[in-house]
Amino acid sequence: MFDIVALGELLIDFTNNGISKSGMKLFEQNPGGAPANMLIASTKLGLKTAFIGKVGADMHGDFLKEVLERQNVDVSGLIQDPNYFTTLAFVDLKENGERIFSFSRKPGADTQLKVEELNVTLLEQTRLFHFGSLSLTTEPCRLATYEAISCAKKSGAIISYDPNYRKSLWTTEFIAINEMRAPLPYVDIIKISDEETKLLTGFQEPELAAKSLIEKGIKIVVITLGANGAFLQTKEDSCLVPSFKSKVVDTTGAGDSFWGGFTSQLLKTKKSLDTLSFDELCECVRFANAVASICVTRRGAIPALPTIDEVLQKLNP
């Protein structure tokens, strides 16, 4: 039995890493992809995990598979397809650590996962299934994602969703809004950023957006607010959980690390969503804030993810 199975993009983040002697920008090869980042974050925090997705049968795909294996993530659901190239994302960093993305994905291997290629055994043997919206941008991966959701839900798994909006990967904002909202009826827990509240709900304010998602049947809503912490909403209660102070170097993977931290603590309670107390959920968010506060002090996504000992030291200095 796995704690978490995640489906979606596994790609290379080429992150700006200074200027060469000839005055050209240097880009550092970093493994990434939101579902993979989240999965490895939870793995480093003690959970048993598996990944479902597709990369190319190329040097980048080999590298990414090796990264997952080194991090003790089960890769029996990862396919290397010789017909498509591994997706690449070029990331430029602003002075405040925020990012600008440019994707090489026309099509990328991650978008070509088919229903018949899904490892159904993994989906039937997980406590939680996680996905994002990048696998909803195009077929055949969109259909595969919905099939995976259905299979995991039938087997009793918690369904977790992180929309993770990337404007350049959608034809129009209208299409993005419709496709990103479409899975909401199947979702049990969701993490969105304050930049995505209006896209997902029509409301900019975190409080209104969270209540709107609860009204759609989602049991736990968490809205990340950057340096201001995270807003937690359930059917019965809500609260703002403050963040930890950090010197921001790179925000890549911050939200993914946060959700890996949150879900790891959620599952470690061994309780159902209906029996978790609100105080326990607040502690899960506090733990997640600590994870993210460490991640942003380092470059890259997966290389920046903290160990359980580092998180505990942050929580109890």
Side-chain angles (χ1 to χ4, degrees), residues 1 6-8 10 48 63 123 128 140 146 179 185 193 197 217 220 229 243 258 300:
M1 194 73 180
L7 178 150
L10 178 61
K48 184 179 180 181
F63 169 66
L123 295 166
L128 183 147
Y146 279 105
E179 295 296 344
S193 73
T197 52
I220 300 171
S243 62
F258 174 94

Side-chain angles (χ1 to χ4, degrees), residues 200-271:
L200 265 291
T201 68
F203 298 104
Q204 187 68 55
E205 301 83 355
E207 296 85 356
L208 294 178
K211 287 180 180 178
S212 172
L213 291 169
I214 292 293
E215 289 171 358
K216 294 182 184 298
I218 297 175
K219 295 181 179 180
I220 300 171
V221 176
V222 184
I223 300 177
T224 54
L225 305 171
N228 294 321
F231 183 78
L232 169 67
Q233 179 79 56
T234 64
K235 187 176 181 180
E236 293 79 21
D237 212 341
S238 66
C239 73
L240 174 65
V241 182
S243 62
F244 293 81
K245 290 184 178 180
S246 298
K247 184 178 180 181
V248 177
V249 172
D250 182 1
T251 59
T252 304
D256 307 325
S257 70
F258 174 94
W259 202 232
F262 179 84
T263 52
S264 72
Q265 297 310 290
L266 184 78
L267 293 175
K268 283 180 181 181
T269 67
K270 304 292 185 180
K271 294 183 178 181

Side-chain angles (χ1 to χ4, degrees), residues 7-254:
L7 178 150
E9 68 276 12
L10 178 61
L11 47 80
I12 303 292
D13 285 328
F14 281 108
T15 310
N16 187 355
N17 192 25
I19 304 295
S20 71
K21 292 181 180 179
S22 60
M24 298 293 104
K25 283 185 177 180
L26 296 173
F27 286 85
E28 181 180 57
Q29 181 196 43
N30 285 303
N37 295 341
M38 177 269 189
L39 201 63
I40 292 178
S42 60
T43 308
K44 295 186 75 168
L45 297 170
L47 298 194
K48 184 179 180 181
T49 66
F51 182 79
I52 296 175
K54 181 178 282 193
V55 293
D58 50 48
M59 61 184 292
H60 298 302
D62 292 341
F63 169 66
L64 290 168
K65 184 178 180 181
E66 290 170 4
V67 168
L68 291 184
E69 290 174 331
R70 285 200 304 270
Q71 297 293 339
N72 298 314
V73 175
D74 184 288
V75 295
S76 60
L78 177 65
I79 296 168
Q80 287 192 266
D81 193 329
N83 297 311
Y84 302 98
F85 199 71
T86 301
T87 296
L88 309 178
F90 292 86
V91 188
D92 206 356
L93 298 177
K94 298 179 182 179
E95 290 184 1
N96 63 358
E98 290 300 323
R99 304 148 295 159
I100 301 173
F101 289 90
S102 179
F103 290 90
S104 177
R105 190 182 186 242
K106 296 181 179 180
D110 65 295
T111 69
Q112 300 305 302
L113 181 68
K114 301 175 182 177
V115 168
E116 58 267 28
E117 295 173 322
L118 291 173
N119 187 322
V120 176
T121 301
L122 296 178
L123 295 166
E124 292 175 340
Q125 296 180 356
T126 184
R127 297 172 61 200
L128 183 147
F129 173 72
H130 176 74
F131 71 103
S133 71
L134 267 64
S135 61
L136 303 175
T137 54
T138 187
E139 297 293 0
C141 195
R142 182 189 296 124
L143 185 59
T145 302
Y146 279 105
E147 180 63 24
I149 294 169
S150 176
C151 183
K153 201 168 186 69
K154 286 178 183 177
S155 298
I158 296 168
I159 306 300
S160 163
Y161 180 36
D162 176 6
N164 193 35
Y165 178 59
R166 294 288 178 262
K167 182 179 180 180
S168 62
L169 295 180
W170 295 95
T171 307
T172 66
E173 186 176 284
F174 177 78
I175 292 174
I177 289 172
N178 286 337
E179 295 296 344
M180 289 169 68
R181 292 181 182 182
L184 294 178
Y186 312 107
V187 173
D188 297 306
I189 63 175
I190 188 171
K191 191 276 295 179
I192 63 175
S193 73
D194 52 351
E195 298 173 346
E196 296 163 340
T197 52
K198 192 168 185 179
L199 282 169
L200 265 291
T201 68
F203 298 104
Q204 187 68 55
E205 301 83 355
E207 296 85 356
L208 294 178
K211 287 180 180 178
S212 172
L213 291 169
I214 292 293
E215 289 171 358
K216 294 182 184 298
I218 297 175
K219 295 181 179 180
I220 300 171
V221 176
V222 184
I223 300 177
T224 54
L225 305 171
N228 294 321
F231 183 78
L232 169 67
Q233 179 79 56
T234 64
K235 187 176 181 180
E236 293 79 21
D237 212 341
S238 66
C239 73
L240 174 65
V241 182
S243 62
F244 293 81
K245 290 184 178 180
S246 298
K247 184 178 180 181
V248 177
V249 172
D250 182 1
T251 59
T252 304

